[in-house]
Amino acid sequence: MTSPTPIADDDQSDALDVPPWRKRLIIGILILLAAAVVLITNRLLTDRFTETTRNRAELRLALYSGNILGDLQRSSVVPLLLSDDPALIAALSEGIFTATTRRLIAVKREIGVASIFLTDINGRVVGATDRNILGTNFRSSPFFVGALRSNDTVFHAVPRDSGAVDFTYARKITMDGRPMGVIVVAADLMKQERSWASLQDTVLVTDSEGVVILATNPRWRGKPVDAALTSSDGAGAIARALARATNWAQDPPDAYLSGRAVMRTDARTAHQGWRMITFTAYDSVRTQVNGVIALEIMGMAILAALAFYLSSRRAQTQSALALQESAELRKLNLRLNREIAQREKVQRTLEVAESSLAQSSKLAALGEMSAAVSHELNQPLAAMKTYLAGARLLLERKRPDEALSSFQRIDDLIDRMGAITRQLKSYARKGGDAVEAVDLRACLSSALSMMEPQLKNRALRITRTVPRSPVMVMADRLRLEQVIINLLRNALDATKDTSNPAVELLMTVGDEAVLSVRDNGMGIKDPSAIFEPFYTTKKQGEGVGLGLAISSGIMADLGGRLTARNANAEVSGAKGAIFDITMPLLGQKAKTAE
Ligand SMILES: Nc1ncnc2c1ncn2[C@@H]1O[C@H](COP(=O)(O)OP(=O)(O)O)[C@@H](O)[C@H]1O
Ligand SMILES: [Mg+2]
């Protein structure tokens, strides 16, 4: 048989054997790591982008307030300039205003203010860039009253009906120290406001009392900041922008606008205690951070996909390997099966051969036995023929006494032949039918009682040692008894000439049951020959040499054995022969069978 081919590399089987809990742990750790990376980058980027956004917002704030201041300043100088204008003074003093409006329109265009108008001393508008207000009387308006009272240019925020506010600079025009009229210039801050509308930021300007005067949401005008913010319905740039933004994992925002987080930046404007406030949505920050995080997550996803692809490829190669292995195993298995079948066949053949061998050896033994028996029987028969012929001759010669002795010899020979056939008959009885569980002690007792007549005739000491508990063996009781009787008979014969004849019967139980029969006779002359049929050292008529041969055959049939040895005189000081009957114990046999 060829040795099986190695099936798999150790490395690969190791890789396959990563315990599932470890795999799960690694995946869990990786997921945690990814989450941590996302959170940390979110935090850092949010901080950074918030900072940038805030800086930008502050910059924008400075720009806006600069623009407003610039507008206001530009507007503020116009009344001063126009108050010295000789044309206007002349018009006021003469009461002729035909050229005034045109003049004012020219100035407006040149300087870039919202509107300019001129009133006479009674507050009636006599010239205006907006012709609609020509003739309107502003006598009780605060800017008119204020301008007349002051020698300087006065600033006023004049709310209009439309909700818009006019930021006006007014100055009285004097001639020779006498007030002639008031020139009013409105700064165009609405232009600024309109320019904010395109921004995402919410921008508002409050006056010194905290009331909104300019705002990206016109509805906020005239309200305090807080009221304005809470009243907001969320419409506008901020709400649009914030609708997209999610607000997670960042510092608490500066303020909330329509429930959305916004960043508040404010600064004083160097004019009348005004403040400018911008609210920048975190939206831009979030958008940027989300962009980066999205990139990050995408990268991780690509990595995961790559890892998954690689592992699946490895699994594929492994499964291919496993398939190949299993194919090899199947082949091996097939080969083994074939081999087993072959071996079984050989075994059967062997069994057949063995049984036929046993048969033939039995036949051979039978042949041997038959030859021996027929030889043994032929001898007395031939002798008898001779004796008969002799006896006939003696009778013819009328010598009957001598003839009688011949008959006596013939009688002896018949006895001998009877002895032989008796022995053979006992052996010929088929074994196996009467096999049963028997107590070896009982067999010994019954053999002894059968031998009682012979034993009584002799001054023989018999000692018997047996275990207390039954010694159970599987045996044909009669044949086992016959073996014991044969041994006892031999022992009797062997101790014929011994002074203190003794026979010792010793039964022991170890792995097997052993019955030893020992005598203090002359010992065995030729231990190698005693089991052969018809081997005897006894005189004619005393033994035929079949006892041990038959006994040993019986023991072999019963699964036991019969052995013989001489007592070692030098060691034990004893002499004589020892015969051992050894048999498997019943319980032991059952155990072995299991
Ligand atoms: N107890 C014994 N002591 C000495 N020799 C023995 C003993 N038993 C048997 N033998 C020897 O073995 C021979 C064969 O014995 P056995 O087969 O019983 O035939 P037989 O008793 O007819 O001679 C005996 O003739 C004897 O020489
Ligand atoms: Mg004998």
Side-chain angles (χ1 to χ4, degrees), residues 490 494 519 523-524 530 535-538 543-548 577 579:
N490 280 350
D519 58 59
I524 304 163
I530 53 173
Y535 170 81
T536 180
T537 55
K538 290 168 194 170
V544 291
L546 279 176
L548 285 181
F579 283 82

Side-chain angles (χ1 to χ4, degrees), residues 1-45:
M1 175 186 165
T2 53
S3 65
T5 41
I7 286 160
D9 288 349
D10 283 349
D11 292 356
Q12 279 158 350
S13 52
D14 272 1
L16 279 169
D17 288 347
V18 171
W21 67 264
R22 241 174 67 186
K23 252 188 212 165
R24 249 174 259 158
L25 195 76
I26 290 170
I27 289 173
I29 287 172
L30 285 179
I31 287 173
L32 280 181
L33 219 77
V37 165
V38 167
L39 282 179
I40 289 169
T41 41
N42 174 61
R43 179 94 225 166
L44 291 177
L45 289 177

Side-chain angles (χ1 to χ4, degrees), residues 41 63 89-90 107 138 152 207 220 321 364 371 402 428 440 523 568 588:
T41 41
L63 191 73
I89 293 170
V107 171
F138 288 109
D152 223 336
D207 62 13
W220 293 347
L321 215 85
E402 283 170 70
L440 192 54
N568 195 333
Q588 219 86 21

Side-chain angles (χ1 to χ4, degrees), residues 300-316:
M300 284 180 197
I302 288 172
L303 274 182
L306 208 73
F308 184 74
Y309 168 73
L310 285 180
S311 87
S312 80
R313 250 191 56 158
R314 209 174 70 174
Q316 235 170 30

